C-alpha cells in the first residue's frame, strides 16, 4: 500500500504543471546536529530538485539548534523539515494546526525505528552506564528525541538516580547537537554521551544511518576508538512535515518528490537521509502519540 501511494504521488507530480500555485519561494529547514555547511551540502540536491518541481526559488535554512527549525515552522518562515519525533511533538503541542507529518524514513529492514545510543571512548575502560558514575555525561539538544528526551527518561530508571549534575553523573551538560556530542566524547571533553543510529549494519561503519554514520563519513571519528555502552528501546523515526497552510498542489508535489527521492537519485537520498535507508514512506500523526505524551510528562 505504501509503495502504491508513493507511486501515485510521484505520478501526480509528473503530470502537474511546473509552477506551484500561490507561492513565490519554498523554504526547507534542516535540523541541527552537525555543522551548518555539511547540512547545506547534504541537502543541496534536494533544494535543486525542489526548485525544479515547484518552479520557484528554494532556500535551505540550517539554524544552530532544533528550536530554530521548530520556530520557523510555527512562524511560517519554514515550509518543510525532517523533524525528530520530539521536535514534531513540540511543534504539535505548540500549535496542532501548524504542520502535518507526511513521510518517514524507512530503514533497509522495512522498519522506521531507531535508537538512542550511549557511547564512550574504548580506551577509557567504560563499558556500561554504571562506569560513568561521577563522570561527565553529554546530551545533545533539548529538543532532540534520542539526544535528550528518551535517554533522560530511560537512563534514570536504569541507574535509579536523576540526570541532575552531581546526583549520579559528575556533570551533565548539553553539547549543542549530535555531532558535538560525538566530538566531545571522542576528544575526552565528556566521558560518555548519547546520539542516534538505526542500529543496523556494523558498529565500525557507524551503523547504516544516523549521526554516527554522518560522523564517520565526515572523517570526524574512527568507530574503533569508541564503544557502545547503552541502547534505548526503539524510537519512532521523526516525520517529514509540511506546513498545513501550504497550497494543496505544493504539498502533493513535495510529498511526491520526497517519496521518490531514493529511486530518483540514490546519492542525494543518502545525504538527505543521513545514510543508507530504503525510502521516505507515508506516516500519520498517530505514530507520534507516545512521544507527544512523553514530552507532556517532561514539561510537568
Amino acid at each position: 500500500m505504501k509503495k502504491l501511494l508513493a507511486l501515485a504521488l510521484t505520478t501526480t507530480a509528473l503530470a502537474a504543471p511546473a509552477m506551484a500555485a500561490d507561492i513565490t519561494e519554498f523554504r526547507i529547514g534542516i535540523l541541527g546536529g552537525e555543522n551548518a555547511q555539511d547540512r547545506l551540502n547534504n541537502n543541496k540536491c534536494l533544494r535543486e530538485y525542489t526548485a525544479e518541481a515547484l518552479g520557484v526559488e528554494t532556500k535551505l535554512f540550517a539554524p544552530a539548534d532544533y528550536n530554530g527549525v521548530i520556530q520557523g515552522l510555527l512562524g511560517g518562515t519554514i515550509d518543510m523539515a525532517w523533524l525528530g519525533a520530539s521536535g514534531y511533538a513540540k511543534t504539535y503541542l505548540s500549535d496542532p494546526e501548524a504542520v502535518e507529518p507526511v513521510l518517514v524514513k524507512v530503514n533497509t529492514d522495512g522498519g522506521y525505528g531507531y535508537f538512542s545510543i550511549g557511547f564512550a571512548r574504548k580506551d577509557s575502560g567504560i563499558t556500561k552506564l554504571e562506569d560513568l558514575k561521577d563522570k561527565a555525561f553529554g546530551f545533545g539538544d533539548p529538543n532532540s528525541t534520542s539526544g535528550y528526551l528518551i535517554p533522560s527518561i530511560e537512563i534514570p530508571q536504569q541507574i535509579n538516580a536523576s540526570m541532575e549534575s552531581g546526583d549520579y553523573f559528575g556533570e551533565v551538560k548539553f553539547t549543542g547537537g549530535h555531532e558535538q556530542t560525538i566530538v566531545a566524547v571522542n576528544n575526552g571533553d565528556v566521558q560518555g554521551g548519547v546520539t542516534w543510529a538505526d542500529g543496523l549494519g556494523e558498529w565500525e561503519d557507524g551503523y547504516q544511518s544516523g549521526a554516527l554514520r554522518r560522523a564517520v563519513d565526515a572523517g570526524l571519528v574512527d568507530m574503533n576508538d569508541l564503544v557502545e555502552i547503552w541502547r534505548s528501546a526503539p524510537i519512532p523515526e521523526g516525520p517529514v512535515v509540511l506546513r498545513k497552510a501550504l497550497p494543496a498542489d505544493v504539498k502533493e508535489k513535495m510529498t511526491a518528490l520526497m517519496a521518490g527521492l531514493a529511486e530518483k537519485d540514490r546519492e542525494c537520498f543518502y545525504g538527505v537521509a543521513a545514510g543508507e535507508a530504503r525510502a521516505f514512506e507515508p506516516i500519520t500523526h498517530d505514530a507520534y502519540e507516545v512521544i507527544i505524551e512523553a514530552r507532556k510528562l517532561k514539561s510537568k
Side-chain angles (χ1 to χ4, degrees), residues 45-100:
C45 56
L46 177 60
R47 179 185 63 76
E48 293 169 348
Y49 285 137
T50 300
E52 179 183 356
L54 299 182
V56 298
E57 182 179 5
T58 300
K59 297 177 181 178
L60 300 177
F61 291 91
D65 59 19
Y66 282 39
N67 198 50
V69 173
I70 293 168
Q71 295 306 318
L73 290 165
L74 290 170
T77 58
I78 289 177
D79 299 309
M80 183 181 85
W82 177 21
L83 294 176
S86 182
Y88 170 67
K90 178 175 181 177
T91 307
Y92 176 81
L93 290 169
S94 298
D95 181 0
E97 296 304 312
V99 302
E100 57 187 288

Short mmCIF file of all heavy atoms in Angstrom, two decimals, residues 45-100:
data_model
loop_
_atom_site.label_atom_id
_atom_site.label_comp_id
_atom_site.label_asym_id
_atom_site.label_seq_id
_atom_site.Cartn_x
_atom_site.Cartn_y
_atom_site.Cartn_z
N CYS A 45 21.19 19.05 -3.22
CA CYS A 45 20.47 18.38 -4.31
C CYS A 45 18.96 18.45 -4.09
O CYS A 45 18.19 18.62 -5.05
CB CYS A 45 20.92 16.93 -4.44
SG CYS A 45 20.75 15.98 -2.90
N LEU A 46 18.52 18.37 -2.83
CA LEU A 46 17.09 18.47 -2.53
C LEU A 46 16.59 19.87 -2.87
O LEU A 46 15.49 20.02 -3.40
CB LEU A 46 16.83 18.15 -1.07
CG LEU A 46 15.38 18.28 -0.59
CD1 LEU A 46 14.45 17.37 -1.38
CD2 LEU A 46 15.28 18.00 0.90
N ARG A 47 17.38 20.87 -2.56
CA ARG A 47 17.00 22.24 -2.91
C ARG A 47 16.82 22.37 -4.42
O ARG A 47 15.83 22.96 -4.89
CB ARG A 47 18.06 23.23 -2.42
CG ARG A 47 17.74 24.68 -2.78
CD ARG A 47 18.87 25.63 -2.42
NE ARG A 47 20.09 25.35 -3.16
CZ ARG A 47 20.29 25.67 -4.43
NH1 ARG A 47 19.33 26.30 -5.12
NH2 ARG A 47 21.42 25.39 -5.02
N GLU A 48 17.74 21.80 -5.18
CA GLU A 48 17.67 21.90 -6.64
C GLU A 48 16.46 21.16 -7.20
O GLU A 48 15.76 21.66 -8.08
CB GLU A 48 18.97 21.36 -7.24
CG GLU A 48 20.18 22.23 -6.91
CD GLU A 48 21.50 21.57 -7.28
OE1 GLU A 48 21.49 20.35 -7.59
OE2 GLU A 48 22.54 22.27 -7.26
N TYR A 49 16.20 19.98 -6.68
CA TYR A 49 15.04 19.21 -7.14
C TYR A 49 13.74 19.91 -6.78
O TYR A 49 12.76 19.88 -7.54
CB TYR A 49 15.05 17.80 -6.55
CG TYR A 49 16.06 16.87 -7.19
CD1 TYR A 49 16.84 16.02 -6.40
CD2 TYR A 49 16.21 16.82 -8.56
CE1 TYR A 49 17.76 15.16 -6.97
CE2 TYR A 49 17.12 15.96 -9.15
CZ TYR A 49 17.90 15.13 -8.35
OH TYR A 49 18.81 14.27 -8.94
N THR A 50 13.71 20.55 -5.62
CA THR A 50 12.51 21.26 -5.18
C THR A 50 12.23 22.46 -6.07
O THR A 50 11.08 22.70 -6.49
CB THR A 50 12.65 21.71 -3.72
OG1 THR A 50 12.84 20.56 -2.89
CG2 THR A 50 11.42 22.48 -3.25
N ALA A 51 13.27 23.21 -6.37
CA ALA A 51 13.11 24.37 -7.26
C ALA A 51 12.59 23.94 -8.63
O ALA A 51 11.72 24.60 -9.22
CB ALA A 51 14.45 25.09 -7.40
N GLU A 52 13.08 22.81 -9.10
CA GLU A 52 12.63 22.29 -10.40
C GLU A 52 11.17 21.83 -10.33
O GLU A 52 10.37 22.10 -11.24
CB GLU A 52 13.52 21.10 -10.80
CG GLU A 52 13.14 20.45 -12.12
CD GLU A 52 14.00 19.25 -12.43
OE1 GLU A 52 14.94 18.94 -11.66
OE2 GLU A 52 13.72 18.58 -13.45
N ALA A 53 10.79 21.16 -9.24
CA ALA A 53 9.44 20.62 -9.11
C ALA A 53 8.40 21.71 -8.92
O ALA A 53 7.28 21.63 -9.45
CB ALA A 53 9.38 19.64 -7.94
N LEU A 54 8.75 22.75 -8.15
CA LEU A 54 7.78 23.80 -7.83
C LEU A 54 7.86 25.01 -8.75
O LEU A 54 6.94 25.81 -8.80
CB LEU A 54 7.96 24.26 -6.37
CG LEU A 54 7.77 23.20 -5.29
CD1 LEU A 54 7.94 23.84 -3.91
CD2 LEU A 54 6.41 22.52 -5.40
N GLY A 55 9.00 25.18 -9.41
CA GLY A 55 9.16 26.33 -10.29
C GLY A 55 9.34 27.63 -9.56
O GLY A 55 9.06 28.71 -10.10
N VAL A 56 9.81 27.56 -8.30
CA VAL A 56 10.05 28.77 -7.50
C VAL A 56 11.42 28.65 -6.84
O VAL A 56 11.98 27.57 -6.70
CB VAL A 56 8.97 28.99 -6.43
CG1 VAL A 56 7.61 29.19 -7.07
CG2 VAL A 56 8.95 27.84 -5.43
N GLU A 57 11.95 29.80 -6.41
CA GLU A 57 13.21 29.79 -5.69
C GLU A 57 13.07 28.98 -4.40
O GLU A 57 12.08 29.10 -3.69
CB GLU A 57 13.64 31.21 -5.36
CG GLU A 57 14.99 31.29 -4.65
CD GLU A 57 15.41 32.71 -4.34
OE1 GLU A 57 14.62 33.65 -4.60
OE2 GLU A 57 16.54 32.88 -3.83
N THR A 58 14.05 28.15 -4.15
CA THR A 58 14.04 27.32 -2.94
C THR A 58 15.27 27.64 -2.10
O THR A 58 16.38 27.75 -2.61
CB THR A 58 14.03 25.83 -3.31
OG1 THR A 58 12.86 25.55 -4.08
CG2 THR A 58 14.03 24.97 -2.07
N LYS A 59 15.05 27.80 -0.80
CA LYS A 59 16.13 28.15 0.11
C LYS A 59 16.24 27.11 1.22
O LYS A 59 15.24 26.55 1.67
CB LYS A 59 15.87 29.53 0.74
CG LYS A 59 15.84 30.67 -0.27
CD LYS A 59 15.51 31.99 0.40
CE LYS A 59 15.47 33.13 -0.61
NZ LYS A 59 15.10 34.43 0.03
N LEU A 60 17.48 26.86 1.64
CA LEU A 60 17.76 25.98 2.77
C LEU A 60 18.09 26.82 4.00
O LEU A 60 18.81 27.80 3.89
CB LEU A 60 18.94 25.05 2.47
CG LEU A 60 18.81 24.10 1.27
CD1 LEU A 60 20.11 23.33 1.09
CD2 LEU A 60 17.63 23.15 1.44
N PHE A 61 17.56 26.42 5.14
CA PHE A 61 17.88 27.09 6.40
C PHE A 61 18.42 26.06 7.37
O PHE A 61 17.80 25.03 7.61
CB PHE A 61 16.63 27.77 6.97
CG PHE A 61 16.16 28.94 6.15
CD1 PHE A 61 15.24 28.77 5.13
CD2 PHE A 61 16.66 30.21 6.39
CE1 PHE A 61 14.82 29.84 4.36
CE2 PHE A 61 16.25 31.29 5.64
CZ PHE A 61 15.33 31.11 4.61
N ALA A 62 19.59 26.36 7.95
CA ALA A 62 20.25 25.45 8.88
C ALA A 62 20.53 26.16 10.19
O ALA A 62 21.67 26.53 10.48
CB ALA A 62 21.54 24.92 8.26
N PRO A 63 19.50 26.39 11.01
CA PRO A 63 19.70 27.08 12.29
C PRO A 63 20.65 26.32 13.21
O PRO A 63 20.90 25.12 13.02
CB PRO A 63 18.29 27.12 12.90
CG PRO A 63 17.36 26.95 11.73
CD PRO A 63 18.09 26.06 10.78
N ALA A 64 21.16 27.00 14.20
CA ALA A 64 22.16 26.41 15.10
C ALA A 64 21.57 25.30 15.96
O ALA A 64 22.29 24.38 16.35
CB ALA A 64 22.76 27.49 15.99
N ASP A 65 20.26 25.38 16.26
CA ASP A 65 19.67 24.35 17.11
C ASP A 65 18.31 23.91 16.57
O ASP A 65 17.78 24.49 15.62
CB ASP A 65 19.54 24.84 18.56
CG ASP A 65 18.69 26.10 18.69
OD1 ASP A 65 17.91 26.41 17.76
OD2 ASP A 65 18.81 26.79 19.72
N TYR A 66 17.77 22.87 17.18
CA TYR A 66 16.49 22.32 16.73
C TYR A 66 15.37 23.36 16.82
O TYR A 66 14.48 23.40 15.98
CB TYR A 66 16.11 21.11 17.60
CG TYR A 66 16.82 19.83 17.29
CD1 TYR A 66 18.18 19.81 16.95
CD2 TYR A 66 16.17 18.61 17.37
CE1 TYR A 66 18.83 18.62 16.69
CE2 TYR A 66 16.82 17.41 17.11
CZ TYR A 66 18.14 17.43 16.78
OH TYR A 66 18.79 16.26 16.51
N ASN A 67 15.43 24.17 17.87
CA ASN A 67 14.35 25.12 18.10
C ASN A 67 14.22 26.14 16.97
O ASN A 67 13.13 26.65 16.71
CB ASN A 67 14.54 25.83 19.44
CG ASN A 67 13.27 26.48 19.93
OD1 ASN A 67 12.22 25.85 19.99
ND2 ASN A 67 13.35 27.75 20.29
N GLY A 68 15.33 26.42 16.30
CA GLY A 68 15.28 27.36 15.19
C GLY A 68 14.38 26.86 14.07
O GLY A 68 13.62 27.63 13.46
N VAL A 69 14.44 25.56 13.79
CA VAL A 69 13.56 24.96 12.77
C VAL A 69 12.12 24.92 13.27
O VAL A 69 11.18 25.25 12.55
CB VAL A 69 14.04 23.55 12.38
CG1 VAL A 69 13.03 22.87 11.45
CG2 VAL A 69 15.41 23.62 11.70
N ILE A 70 11.94 24.52 14.52
CA ILE A 70 10.60 24.43 15.09
C ILE A 70 9.90 25.79 15.06
O ILE A 70 8.74 25.90 14.62
CB ILE A 70 10.67 23.90 16.53
CG1 ILE A 70 11.13 22.44 16.53
CG2 ILE A 70 9.32 24.03 17.24
CD1 ILE A 70 11.52 21.91 17.90
N GLN A 71 10.61 26.83 15.49
CA GLN A 71 10.01 28.16 15.49
C GLN A 71 9.76 28.67 14.08
O GLN A 71 8.78 29.39 13.83
CB GLN A 71 10.90 29.14 16.26
CG GLN A 71 11.02 28.84 17.75
CD GLN A 71 9.67 28.73 18.44
OE1 GLN A 71 8.76 29.53 18.19
NE2 GLN A 71 9.53 27.74 19.31
N GLY A 72 10.60 28.29 13.14
CA GLY A 72 10.38 28.66 11.75
C GLY A 72 9.11 28.05 11.19
O GLY A 72 8.34 28.70 10.48
N LEU A 73 8.86 26.78 11.53
CA LEU A 73 7.63 26.13 11.10
C LEU A 73 6.41 26.77 11.75
O LEU A 73 5.39 27.01 11.10
CB LEU A 73 7.68 24.64 11.45
CG LEU A 73 8.65 23.79 10.64
CD1 LEU A 73 8.87 22.43 11.32
CD2 LEU A 73 8.15 23.59 9.20
N LEU A 74 6.52 27.06 13.04
CA LEU A 74 5.40 27.68 13.76
C LEU A 74 5.12 29.09 13.26
O LEU A 74 3.96 29.53 13.20
CB LEU A 74 5.70 27.72 15.26
CG LEU A 74 5.71 26.37 15.98
CD1 LEU A 74 6.27 26.50 17.39
CD2 LEU A 74 4.30 25.77 16.03
N GLY A 75 6.18 29.81 12.89
CA GLY A 75 6.02 31.19 12.45
C GLY A 75 5.78 31.34 10.96
O GLY A 75 5.58 32.47 10.48
N GLY A 76 5.83 30.25 10.22
CA GLY A 76 5.56 30.31 8.79
C GLY A 76 6.75 30.74 7.94
O GLY A 76 6.59 31.02 6.76
N THR A 77 7.96 30.75 8.53
CA THR A 77 9.15 31.13 7.75
C THR A 77 9.89 29.91 7.22
O THR A 77 10.85 30.05 6.46
CB THR A 77 10.12 31.97 8.60
OG1 THR A 77 10.50 31.23 9.76
CG2 THR A 77 9.46 33.28 9.02
N ILE A 78 9.47 28.71 7.61
CA ILE A 78 9.98 27.46 7.05
C ILE A 78 8.77 26.64 6.61
O ILE A 78 7.77 26.55 7.33
CB ILE A 78 10.84 26.69 8.08
CG1 ILE A 78 12.17 27.43 8.30
CG2 ILE A 78 11.09 25.26 7.64
CD1 ILE A 78 13.06 26.81 9.36
N ASP A 79 8.86 26.03 5.43
CA ASP A 79 7.73 25.32 4.85
C ASP A 79 7.79 23.81 5.03
O ASP A 79 6.75 23.14 5.10
CB ASP A 79 7.63 25.62 3.35
CG ASP A 79 7.41 27.09 3.07
OD1 ASP A 79 6.49 27.66 3.67
OD2 ASP A 79 8.16 27.66 2.25
N MET A 80 9.00 23.26 5.08
CA MET A 80 9.15 21.81 5.19
C MET A 80 10.39 21.50 6.01
O MET A 80 11.39 22.24 5.96
CB MET A 80 9.29 21.17 3.80
CG MET A 80 9.39 19.64 3.83
SD MET A 80 9.57 18.91 2.17
CE MET A 80 11.36 19.04 1.95
N ALA A 81 10.35 20.41 6.76
CA ALA A 81 11.52 19.97 7.50
C ALA A 81 11.37 18.50 7.83
O ALA A 81 10.26 17.97 7.91
CB ALA A 81 11.69 20.78 8.79
N TRP A 82 12.51 17.83 8.02
CA TRP A 82 12.52 16.48 8.57
C TRP A 82 12.82 16.64 10.04
O TRP A 82 13.94 16.93 10.44
CB TRP A 82 13.56 15.63 7.86
CG TRP A 82 13.68 14.24 8.42
CD1 TRP A 82 12.74 13.56 9.14
CD2 TRP A 82 14.81 13.36 8.31
NE1 TRP A 82 13.20 12.32 9.50
CE2 TRP A 82 14.47 12.16 8.99
CE3 TRP A 82 16.05 13.47 7.70
CZ2 TRP A 82 15.36 11.08 9.09
CZ3 TRP A 82 16.92 12.39 7.79
CH2 TRP A 82 16.57 11.22 8.47
N LEU A 83 11.78 16.52 10.87
CA LEU A 83 11.91 16.71 12.30
C LEU A 83 12.22 15.40 13.02
O LEU A 83 11.89 14.31 12.51
CB LEU A 83 10.62 17.28 12.88
CG LEU A 83 10.21 18.68 12.47
CD1 LEU A 83 8.85 19.02 13.08
CD2 LEU A 83 11.25 19.71 12.88
N GLY A 84 12.80 15.49 14.20
CA GLY A 84 12.81 14.36 15.09
C GLY A 84 11.43 14.21 15.71
O GLY A 84 10.60 15.13 15.66
N ALA A 85 11.17 13.05 16.28
CA ALA A 85 9.84 12.82 16.87
C ALA A 85 9.54 13.81 17.98
O ALA A 85 8.42 14.31 18.10
CB ALA A 85 9.76 11.38 17.39
N SER A 86 10.55 14.12 18.81
CA SER A 86 10.33 15.08 19.90
C SER A 86 10.12 16.49 19.36
O SER A 86 9.31 17.24 19.88
CB SER A 86 11.52 15.06 20.87
OG SER A 86 11.31 15.94 21.95
N GLY A 87 10.85 16.83 18.31
CA GLY A 87 10.66 18.14 17.68
C GLY A 87 9.27 18.27 17.10
O GLY A 87 8.63 19.33 17.20
N TYR A 88 8.78 17.18 16.49
CA TYR A 88 7.40 17.21 15.98
C TYR A 88 6.42 17.36 17.14
O TYR A 88 5.45 18.13 17.05
CB TYR A 88 7.08 15.95 15.18
CG TYR A 88 5.61 15.85 14.86
CD1 TYR A 88 5.01 16.76 14.00
CD2 TYR A 88 4.80 14.88 15.46
CE1 TYR A 88 3.64 16.71 13.72
CE2 TYR A 88 3.44 14.82 15.20
CZ TYR A 88 2.86 15.74 14.33
OH TYR A 88 1.51 15.70 14.07
N ALA A 89 6.68 16.64 18.23
CA ALA A 89 5.79 16.72 19.39
C ALA A 89 5.72 18.15 19.92
O ALA A 89 4.64 18.65 20.25
CB ALA A 89 6.26 15.77 20.48
N LYS A 90 6.88 18.81 20.01
CA LYS A 90 6.88 20.19 20.50
C LYS A 90 6.10 21.10 19.55
O LYS A 90 5.33 21.96 19.99
CB LYS A 90 8.30 20.72 20.65
CG LYS A 90 8.32 22.18 21.11
CD LYS A 90 9.71 22.70 21.39
CE LYS A 90 9.64 24.15 21.86
NZ LYS A 90 10.96 24.70 22.22
N THR A 91 6.30 20.91 18.24
CA THR A 91 5.59 21.71 17.26
C THR A 91 4.09 21.50 17.38
O THR A 91 3.31 22.46 17.39
CB THR A 91 6.06 21.36 15.83
OG1 THR A 91 7.49 21.46 15.76
CG2 THR A 91 5.45 22.30 14.81
N TYR A 92 3.68 20.25 17.48
CA TYR A 92 2.26 19.93 17.59
C TYR A 92 1.66 20.49 18.87
O TYR A 92 0.55 21.06 18.86
CB TYR A 92 2.06 18.42 17.54
CG TYR A 92 0.64 17.98 17.74
CD1 TYR A 92 -0.26 18.01 16.67
CD2 TYR A 92 0.18 17.56 18.98
CE1 TYR A 92 -1.59 17.64 16.85
CE2 TYR A 92 -1.14 17.18 19.17
CZ TYR A 92 -2.02 17.23 18.10
OH TYR A 92 -3.34 16.86 18.28
N LEU A 93 2.37 20.35 19.98
CA LEU A 93 1.85 20.85 21.25
C LEU A 93 1.77 22.37 21.28
O LEU A 93 0.92 22.94 21.96
CB LEU A 93 2.73 20.35 22.40
CG LEU A 93 2.63 18.85 22.70
CD1 LEU A 93 3.71 18.42 23.67
CD2 LEU A 93 1.24 18.50 23.24
N SER A 94 2.65 23.03 20.51
CA SER A 94 2.61 24.49 20.42
C SER A 94 1.47 24.97 19.55
O SER A 94 0.82 25.97 19.84
CB SER A 94 3.94 25.01 19.87
OG SER A 94 5.02 24.68 20.70
N ASP A 95 1.22 24.24 18.45
CA ASP A 95 0.14 24.60 17.53
C ASP A 95 -0.23 23.37 16.70
O ASP A 95 0.47 23.03 15.74
CB ASP A 95 0.57 25.73 16.61
CG ASP A 95 -0.55 26.15 15.64
OD1 ASP A 95 -1.64 25.55 15.69
OD2 ASP A 95 -0.30 27.05 14.82
N PRO A 96 -1.33 22.68 17.05
CA PRO A 96 -1.72 21.46 16.34
C PRO A 96 -2.01 21.67 14.86
O PRO A 96 -2.02 20.70 14.09
CB PRO A 96 -2.99 21.01 17.08
CG PRO A 96 -2.93 21.67 18.40
CD PRO A 96 -2.23 22.98 18.17
N GLU A 97 -2.23 22.92 14.46
CA GLU A 97 -2.57 23.21 13.06
C GLU A 97 -1.38 23.72 12.25
O GLU A 97 -1.54 24.11 11.10
CB GLU A 97 -3.70 24.24 13.01
CG GLU A 97 -5.01 23.74 13.60
CD GLU A 97 -5.48 22.45 12.95
OE1 GLU A 97 -5.49 22.38 11.70
OE2 GLU A 97 -5.82 21.50 13.69
N ALA A 98 -0.20 23.72 12.84
CA ALA A 98 0.96 24.30 12.15
C ALA A 98 1.49 23.42 11.03
O ALA A 98 1.74 23.89 9.92
CB ALA A 98 2.07 24.60 13.15
N VAL A 99 1.67 22.14 11.31
CA VAL A 99 2.29 21.24 10.33
C VAL A 99 1.56 19.91 10.28
O VAL A 99 0.79 19.58 11.20
CB VAL A 99 3.78 20.98 10.64
CG1 VAL A 99 4.56 22.28 10.69
CG2 VAL A 99 3.95 20.20 11.95
N GLU A 100 1.81 19.17 9.23
CA GLU A 100 1.29 17.81 9.14
C GLU A 100 2.42 16.86 8.76
O GLU A 100 3.22 17.16 7.87
CB GLU A 100 0.15 17.73 8.12
CG GLU A 100 0.48 18.18 6.72
CD GLU A 100 -0.75 18.21 5.83
OE1 GLU A 100 -1.24 17.11 5.48
OE2 GLU A 100 -1.21 19.32 5.50
#
